[in-house]
Every structure is written in C-alpha cells, then in structure tokens.
Amino acid sequence: MPSPALIIDQVSFSYHDTSVLEDINISVYEGDFIALFGPNGGGKTTLLQLIMGFLQPKKGKISLWGSSPCKSRPYIGYVPQITRFDKQFPITVEEVVQMGCLSRLSFWGTLKAEDKEMTLEALEKVGMADFRHRSFGQLSGGQAQRVLIARALASHPKLLILDEPTASVDPKAEEEILEILTSLQRNLTILMVTHDLQTIIQKVEKLLCVHRNAEMLSPPEVCEHFGLGLYHSPLIKANFCVK
C-alpha cells in the first residue's frame, strides 16, 4: 500500500471570528490524483495555503511526509491559475521555467548545468520544448498554463498543487493539460482545484469536496450526491453516474 504523503488531522481555521474550515481529517497517499471542488468561499484556497504552510491551523496538525508544511515546502510545486499577464513583459518561456530553480542558484546567482537540463526536461514533459526561446507573452492561455506546470516541475516536487489550471483555456487545451497530469501521476502526488466536474470525474479516482468541512469521495459517490444539483447542474451524463 502506498505511504501517506499528506495527513490533515482535526484541522480547523478561522479568519478572526469567521470560521472557514472545521475538523478537517484527510489522508492523501503517494501517487494520488485528487480533484478538490466545492462552492466559492467554501475554503478550498485556505486549505491549499494551510498545506503549503502559508497559514497555520487554529487547531489540529498537518504533516507532509512526517514533517511540517514549512519544512516540506521545497518538495511542493504550485501552479497558479492564469487569469491575465503582461504580454509585453520581456521574458522567454525558458526563463519562466528556470524560475522554478531559483532556490538552487549558485553564490554568483547563476544556474548550474544540471538545472538548465532539468528546465529542458520539464518543458519536454509538457510538450513545450520547441517554444523555449519564444516570448511567454506570445503564448495562448493553454500554452502558458503548460509552461507554468513545467516551472513547478523544474523544482522536482513530490507534491504538485494546481489551482484551477483549466479555468481559462479552451476544451482542446484542457484535455491536453489533463493528459499531462495523468502521465505525471506515476511519479507525483497531485491535488487540483477544479469546478469542471463533468471532465475531471473521468480522470481521477478520488475527489475532495471542501465546504467548511471536507469529504473524500469516489466518482460514483460524487455523481450520486451532486445529482441533487448542489453547487452545479446534475451530472446526468457522466459515465460514473449512479442510477
């Protein structure tokens, strides 16, 4: 059986007097590909910030491979959602990905040869190696998101966290990104925030519903539960739908 990568034990969090998360108990295992979903304001972003160590629980404990989130941060790759970026900013695709190696800069502020090799390797994994000298601002939304995935991979993470990576891309680009993530699952643990359950339910074995509390569900359970129309339209066309 795979070893636990992430354990969240009785975690609660509040902003001042406003409770956001209550009594969260989750175990995520190495090699899991888990989709996080729930209503806006339900606590998904807060949960990610707790896992990455940018927030501290008011109660409970979070451990990543037996250590605190802060100590484990070098092993976490984060991919933000692309909403907008300055298309005139003079930076190449390769330079964006090299930002994932900044923690390994030499005393002189230069990257080692192996870091440059890892940059190219990361671009190859997402199918963007031929674009490495192109301006980042010239890319489509889907291409830019793949480059940001490569930037996260350049640090050789053990856990990859993605915040709605397919929210601003067309269906073809969405499918390409999900195929990339599926191929990475062999060597990574993946947590991905999404609102597109219709698509992701075909790709993952586990889904985490976050709405102040958190519940780990299988695709059939999600279909049966959310057939009631909670948070989104019923998933009546999903292959996993429970009759």
Side-chain angles (χ1 to χ4, degrees):
M1 183 176 178
S3 301
L6 166 66
I7 297 176
I8 301 178
D9 183 19
Q10 294 292 328
V11 164
S12 296
F13 183 84
S14 60
Y15 291 103
H16 303 294
D17 296 328
T18 303
S19 177
V20 179
L21 296 170
E22 296 180 354
D23 297 324
I24 307 296
N25 287 285
I26 300 168
S27 292
V28 175
Y29 294 87
E30 291 182 349
D32 277 349
F33 182 2
I34 297 174
L36 281 72
F37 71 101
N40 291 332
K44 299 185 296 297
T45 298
T46 298
L47 181 59
L48 294 186
Q49 291 177 334
L50 287 165
I51 292 170
M52 291 186 286
F54 297 122
L55 294 175
Q56 299 300 315
K58 301 298 181 183
K59 186 185 77 171
K61 181 182 178 181
I62 299 176
S63 63
L64 289 146
W65 308 285
S67 298
S68 69
C70 289
K71 290 182 179 179
S72 303
R73 201 175 293 159
Y75 305 108
I76 300 174
Y78 175 64
V79 181
Q81 179 183 343
I82 275 283
T83 52
R84 59 173 180 259
F85 52 90
D86 184 357
K87 292 183 177 294
Q88 303 304 316
F89 190 77
I91 188 170
T92 67
V93 165
E94 186 173 46
E95 289 168 338
V96 169
V97 178
Q98 286 176 349
M99 292 168 65
C101 304
L102 291 181
S103 63
R104 299 193 296 273
L105 285 177
S106 70
F107 176 80
W108 305 106
T110 58
L111 290 175
K112 298 178 181 178
E114 55 262 37
D115 293 322
K116 294 180 180 180
E117 290 176 4
M118 287 195 301
T119 295
L120 182 57
E121 178 184 325
L123 283 168
E124 289 173 343
K125 286 180 179 179
V126 301
M128 292 295 292
D130 291 342
F131 292 76
R132 62 186 181 275
H133 299 306
R134 188 172 298 186
S135 168
F136 183 70
Q138 294 177 354
L139 303 181
S140 67
Q143 291 171 335
Q145 197 62 272
R146 285 156 64 186
V147 170
L148 293 181
I149 293 173
R151 182 181 67 176
L153 295 177
S155 64
H156 277 206
K158 296 166 67 176
L159 172 64
L160 184 63
I161 296 177
L162 305 100
D163 189 0
E164 297 191 60
T166 62
S168 302
V169 303
D170 59 49
K172 183 176 183 296
E174 178 181 20
E175 183 63 28
E176 290 172 348
I177 290 171
L178 292 178
E179 288 299 325
I180 289 168
L181 295 178
T182 300
S183 70
L184 294 172
Q185 184 185 358
R186 294 189 294 270
N187 302 306
L188 283 172
T189 303
I190 302 173
L191 299 179
M192 172 180 154
V193 175
T194 183
H195 285 291
D196 186 6
L197 292 181
Q198 294 273 11
T199 301
I200 198 64
I201 202 169
Q202 311 282 346
K203 304 291 184 181
V204 299
E205 295 179 354
K206 299 178 183 178
L207 299 100
L208 182 65
C209 178
V210 182
H211 187 200
R212 185 170 293 185
N213 301 117
E215 184 178 8
M216 194 75 77
L217 303 165
S218 68
E221 289 173 319
V222 170
C223 186
E224 182 176 32
H225 187 178
F226 292 88
L228 300 174
L230 299 176
Y231 312 152
H232 57 80
S233 59
L235 301 180
I236 58 175
K237 296 182 180 179
N239 291 339
F240 293 99
C241 198
V242 177
K243 302 296 184 182

